[in-house]
Amino acid sequence: MKSLQAAVHNLRHRKAGLVMMTAVMAVAVSVLQFGRMELPPAGGHLPRGANAHAGGPKLIAVAELPEMDGQMCEWSPASYTATQITATTQSRTQTALSDSASAAKRRPVRVIRDSYPAFSSVAVDAKNNEVVVTDENLFQILVYNRDAATPPPTSFSEPKRILGGSNTKIEFQCGLYIDPDSGDIYAVNNDTVDTLVIFSREQRGNVAPAAELRTPHGTFGVDVSEERKEMFLSLQHSNAIVVFDKNARNRDVPLRLLQGDKTGLADPHGIAVDTKRGVLYATNHGSFREFNRTTGDITQTGMYQGTFSTASTWPAERRIPGTGKTFPSSITAHDIVAQGNTPPLRVLSGTKTQLNWPTGLSVDSETGELYVANDMGDSILVFAPDATGDVAPLRVLKGALTGLRNPTGITLDRKNGELWVANFGNHTATAYKLGAAGNTPPLRTIRSGPADEPALMIGNPGAIAYDAKREQILVPN
Amino acid sequence: MLGRTMHGIVYDALRDEFYVPQPFAQAILVFRGGASGEEKPLRVIQGSATRLSNTDKVEIDPVNNEILVSEDAVILVFDRLANGNVAPKRHLTMPGEIDIDAVSVDYVHNVIVATNPAGSAEEKYPRLLFLNRTDQGDVTPLRVVGGKKTLLTGTFGMRAFPSKGLVLVAMSGPSTAGPHDGSFVGVWSTTQDNGDVAPRWTIGGPFGELKQPRGIDLDVKGKNVIISDKVLNAVLTYNFPEIF
């Protein structure tokens, strides 16, 4: 779930490669002649049924560069051992002789995969002294003792409880909430399973959720107002917030919907509710497109259950073509009962805020201070309760000692005076004193992988491109 | 301007640029090869004239200087150097507003290949539609590959290999929820295959390593097929000299 820039994998720096390292592009296309494309009629459209040719260019000839199948001297990196070179040659011989049936069973010569959990969101069960994290890499929810810590020589800490497997409907769970009374775990999925899953404290392993709620596609954040018995969900894909009864289940529909071009919601991610002050906050990455219920194209309707509902409080999901815009990252503050296409009370945005893909969000119920997991800034930003416009944070937690790396989840533990962060970029959940600022090391760190093992941050890789010039694989996530 | 949900990317080796669709901002972003950090795109296609809507996948035709984008029931074609709020230079639709997902171009044989995930009204199997590259407006496919023998189910990413007249298609099998036995990357000819024909090769399955393959690209020099898999959260490289 990381940016493209974070997921470029350079073949030269990977071991176990049977991939040939070459300095020349494999196929260069020589275009000997091509002309000018004729333009369509004004408006760019032809009548339906016209089936017309554009009368455009035709490729005349293609010339490939010589391939390196032994006819030329193959270049190998100096770091290649004789064994590696031999292995490469043998592999080619073997595969060339195989038939198509065995080809289907051929194993990959190289796999780039993170074998350790990647934490994306975090919540604390103060009553039971536990910390809960979601893992978007291996599709799990992990529960640790709150005071657990992974000492440096240890590869990782064993969780005391794991939920995961096809029965759980856990995949890309990106938002967490723990019921303070029951300890029930609420977790939302961002992209692939349009279901909020709820597990009791007794559940573990590959079990069906104790309860479920169908959610709109692209749900990201979840928070609950226990006083109002309402559950708030941010919807990344449809630029909206929906509010459910806290006890909503199955195919119940939202109580309220906040959506539209006036709301300031643009690719919303984290969500936090301050019931005491009657304010609802959302972090926005800035991408925007408009929706309505009558025209345009419907969005993907969910790969597992289908999500479309005709309820007026279900988000409009028909995209309006050509309405795309890109805004700076922001935090929008809304009235807790806002609905419809209502403008925010306040907007935080601008260079002084340091917001850079703000993702996880939590509010201090006592002070009203707003805590932001600032994904691409590798920082935690803390804003005053009434902050608005382009203002600097009250405090910034950032630096090499903090252990922060692509923080995406954040939660406050007021009972123990701690701040918890899920770092998607380094296999850790880190705990700090609530008022920590500057380059302050964490009080404790729970690691899910060895400290020297890089987190690949490959999450839901929907595409791939090979940069032949640099011998790099580009992976958007 | 990148987002956290991007289902397409393509590298233009001739000009050392790469193209990324940004669905949430209805935009096509073009970056220089080797771009790193918070670098601005070289060009951005975005705005009311573009007709961009879902902007899920993108293809580049480096020879004929075109960008192709699938938008549900239409293929939009932009000039390769399009920048800003510009209209597509042409578009292709098919009778009945057949849904289109991935699109790829074989610029050597002048064929556009599109996946049709929902299939026809009569048969709900996903299909591959082969179109004349220079067509525009409401067009009829040159050929259609679809049916039980094709094993086409759950199509997602696609990559053409123009110099060999092939197209590779990623498919996740009959159910994305698993089991994933039907997942693989299939290879068809862009110039010959028609009707209910089996793939010429299958990579990574069925009953192989792949669980939900999505993106595909080719390392021609190494004779490798590189595949991303959503369930595995992994990138797998298969040495597959047969298709090279």
Side-chain angles (χ1 to χ4, degrees):
Chain A
M1 55 173 264
K2 292 285 84 167
S3 65
L4 179 72
Q5 148 259 356
V8 173
H9 300 273
N10 192 321
L11 301 187
R12 292 178 189 274
H13 297 160
R14 292 276 160 192
K15 47 191 176 182
L18 294 181
V19 181
M20 293 306 298
M21 308 289 185
T22 61
V24 185
M25 288 169 50
V27 174
V29 180
S30 297
V31 182
L32 302 183
Q33 180 183 347
F34 57 94
R36 180 182 173 83
M37 174 67 75
E38 291 180 9
L39 293 175
H45 308 161
L46 280 181
R48 292 179 74 84
N51 197 21
H53 295 266
K58 297 279 185 179
L59 186 68
I60 304 302
V62 174
E64 292 184 16
L65 289 176
E67 296 187 359
M68 294 181 177
D69 286 324
Q71 302 303 313
M72 298 173 63
C73 295
E74 296 187 8
W75 174 84
S76 297
S79 58
Y80 254 37
T81 63
T83 304
Q84 283 174 308
I85 294 171
T86 303
T88 304
T89 309
Q90 287 175 340
S91 171
R92 285 187 173 193
T93 305
Q94 289 162 1
T95 52
L97 294 176
S98 63
D99 58 24
S100 59
S102 62
K105 297 176 182 173
R106 188 177 307 162
R107 301 193 56 134
V109 294
R110 179 166 175 256
V111 177
I112 301 171
R113 188 186 190 198
D114 190 343
S115 57
Y116 300 102
F119 299 154
S120 56
S121 60
V122 59
V124 170
D125 181 346
K127 182 178 177 181
N128 297 292
N129 211 37
E130 292 176 341
V131 62
V132 183
V133 291
T134 57
D135 162 25
E136 291 197 37
N137 186 40
L138 305 179
F139 301 163
Q140 303 174 109
I141 293 175
L142 311 171
V143 182
Y144 298 87
N145 281 324
R146 188 191 61 81
D147 52 4
T150 315
T154 308
S155 291
F156 54 85
S157 290
E158 292 279 359
K160 60 189 292 189
R161 187 159 62 104
I162 298 177
L163 291 157
S166 58
N167 293 329
T168 65
K169 294 190 176 181
I170 294 170
E171 286 195 358
F172 296 99
Q173 308 307 122
C174 48
L176 262 180
Y177 177 76
I178 308 296
D179 186 302
D181 293 325
S182 66
D184 286 351
I185 298 171
Y186 292 58
V188 291
N189 178 296
N190 181 231
D191 189 31
T192 55
V193 187
D194 298 324
T195 303
L196 182 155
V197 289
I198 302 170
F199 296 94
S200 69
R201 280 185 46 75
E202 292 72 35
Q203 290 185 287
R204 63 178 60 230
N206 185 11
V207 295
E212 300 178 15
L213 173 66
R214 175 190 64 171
T215 58
H217 189 59
T219 298
F220 192 92
V222 55
D223 200 6
V224 171
S225 168
E226 290 293 341
E227 296 87 343
R228 298 178 61 88
K229 295 299 176 194
E230 290 181 339
M231 182 161 55
F232 298 75
L233 306 181
S234 58
L235 311 182
Q236 185 196 2
H237 289 220
S238 49
N239 298 325
I241 289 172
V242 285
V243 186
F244 285 90
D245 184 289
K246 187 199 167 189
N247 295 311
R249 297 292 184 270
N250 303 318
R251 298 179 79 82
D252 289 345
V253 297
L255 303 171
R256 299 191 296 280
L257 166 68
L258 181 63
Q259 184 184 35
D261 61 341
K262 297 188 175 89
T263 64
L265 295 170
D267 201 356
H269 281 72
I271 190 166
V273 58
D274 182 350
T275 308
K276 185 175 175 181
R277 293 164 188 80
V279 181
L280 170 66
Y281 295 97
T283 58
N284 299 280
H285 284 194
S287 297
F288 179 79
R289 55 183 173 173
E290 291 186 44
F291 299 85
N292 67 24
R293 297 178 189 278
T294 56
T295 62
D297 308 311
I298 193 164
T299 58
Q300 180 181 350
T301 54
M303 300 173 73
Y304 285 77
Q305 296 186 347
T307 62
F308 184 68
S309 166
T310 56
S312 61
T313 53
W314 198 263
E317 293 180 307
R318 290 187 181 277
R319 302 177 301 267
I320 304 176
T323 55
K325 296 182 178 71
T326 305
F327 299 111
S329 295
S330 70
I331 296 174
T332 47
H334 309 266
D335 191 292
I336 198 169
V337 295
Q339 58 185 322
N341 189 7
T342 305
L345 302 170
R346 291 174 279 123
V347 178
L348 271 163
S349 184
T351 54
K352 292 178 186 171
T353 66
Q354 302 182 38
L355 294 171
N356 191 348
W357 279 17
T359 303
L361 193 58
S362 191
V363 67
D364 186 327
S365 58
E366 294 301 317
T367 66
E369 290 181 345
L370 193 61
Y371 288 70
V372 184
N374 199 33
D375 183 351
M376 293 304 287
D378 289 334
S379 59
I380 301 300
L381 311 175
V382 184
F383 291 95
D386 57 351
T388 186
D390 186 10
V391 296
L394 291 175
R395 298 188 296 280
V396 177
L397 184 61
K398 179 174 181 168
L401 297 178
T402 65
L404 294 169
R405 183 71 184 271
N406 294 105
T408 53
I410 189 167
T411 195
L412 305 186
D413 174 8
R414 280 211 62 83
K415 179 180 175 183
N416 298 292
E418 291 181 347
L419 159 70
W420 277 89
V421 179
N423 295 288
F424 195 69
N426 64 7
H427 298 128
T428 70
T430 43
Y432 310 85
K433 278 188 176 179
L434 206 49
N439 190 10
T440 303
L443 297 170
R444 298 182 303 285
T445 297
I446 297 175
R447 266 190 291 108
S448 64
D452 58 353
E453 188 77 24
L456 299 182
M457 295 192 288
I458 295 177
N460 199 352
I464 201 164
Y466 180 65
D467 178 344
K469 180 177 180 180
R470 296 168 187 80
E471 296 171 341
Q472 292 178 339
I473 301 170
L474 307 175
V475 189
N477 294 272
Chain B
M1 295 181 70
L2 293 170
R4 293 178 66 257
T5 298
M6 297 173 290
H7 291 160
I9 186 168
V10 60
Y11 177 68
D12 178 355
L14 291 183
R15 296 167 186 89
D16 194 22
E17 295 176 342
F18 63 92
Y19 295 68
V20 187
Q22 219 288 30
F24 295 153
Q26 296 177 329
I28 302 293
L29 313 176
V30 186
F31 294 89
R32 71 173 180 87
S36 182
E38 294 194 40
E39 185 168 321
K40 282 187 176 178
L42 299 171
R43 301 184 295 281
V44 178
I45 304 174
Q46 184 185 44
S48 56
T50 64
R51 300 177 62 191
L52 293 174
S53 177
N54 191 36
T55 326
D56 199 52
K57 298 178 178 71
V58 66
E59 169 71 312
I60 177 71
D61 179 343
V63 173
N64 300 294
N65 292 305
E66 292 183 333
I67 302 167
L68 296 90
V69 185
S70 56
E71 288 287 4
D72 295 325
V74 61
I75 298 169
L76 303 177
V77 183
F78 294 89
D79 187 273
R80 183 182 63 80
L81 294 174
N83 192 17
N85 185 14
V86 295
K89 59 191 285 190
R90 71 178 196 276
H91 72 276
L92 295 86
T93 56
M94 275 150 282
E97 297 200 340
I98 292 171
D99 72 304
I100 300 295
D101 184 26
V103 62
S104 199
V105 61
D106 176 349
Y107 46 79
V108 172
H109 303 94
N110 280 307
V111 175
I112 293 173
V113 190
T115 57
N116 167 219
S120 67
E122 299 76 29
E123 294 185 333
K124 300 299 182 184
Y125 301 112
R127 302 183 301 176
L128 302 180
L129 312 176
F130 296 82
L131 314 171
N132 188 320
R133 187 191 63 76
T134 56
D135 277 358
Q136 61 180 326
D138 205 352
V139 304
T140 302
L142 300 168
R143 286 169 284 108
V144 177
V145 165
K148 289 185 178 178
K149 292 179 186 173
T150 68
L151 304 177
L152 283 164
T153 53
T155 56
F156 200 86
M158 183 164 57
R159 188 70 79 198
F161 186 16
S163 63
K164 298 294 182 183
L166 298 173
V167 65
L168 293 82
V169 184
M171 59 202 84
S172 54
S175 170
T176 53
H180 303 287
D181 299 339
S183 301
F184 65 94
V185 168
V187 185
W188 282 270
S189 165
T190 60
T191 59
Q192 299 172 31
D193 288 338
N194 192 19
D196 189 5
V197 295
R200 290 165 184 251
W201 293 278
T202 68
I203 304 172
F207 302 99
E209 301 275 332
L210 296 176
K211 301 302 179 191
Q212 211 172 114
R214 295 205 146 191
I216 308 169
D217 210 350
L218 305 174
D219 164 17
V220 180
K221 187 66 66 179
K223 302 185 189 304
N224 291 316
V225 179
I226 308 169
I227 302 166
S228 66
D229 189 298
K230 176 222 127 181
V231 168
L232 298 173
N233 275 326
V235 176
L236 301 91
T237 299
Y238 289 86
N239 188 243
F240 217 88
E242 291 94 326
I243 70 167
F244 294 91

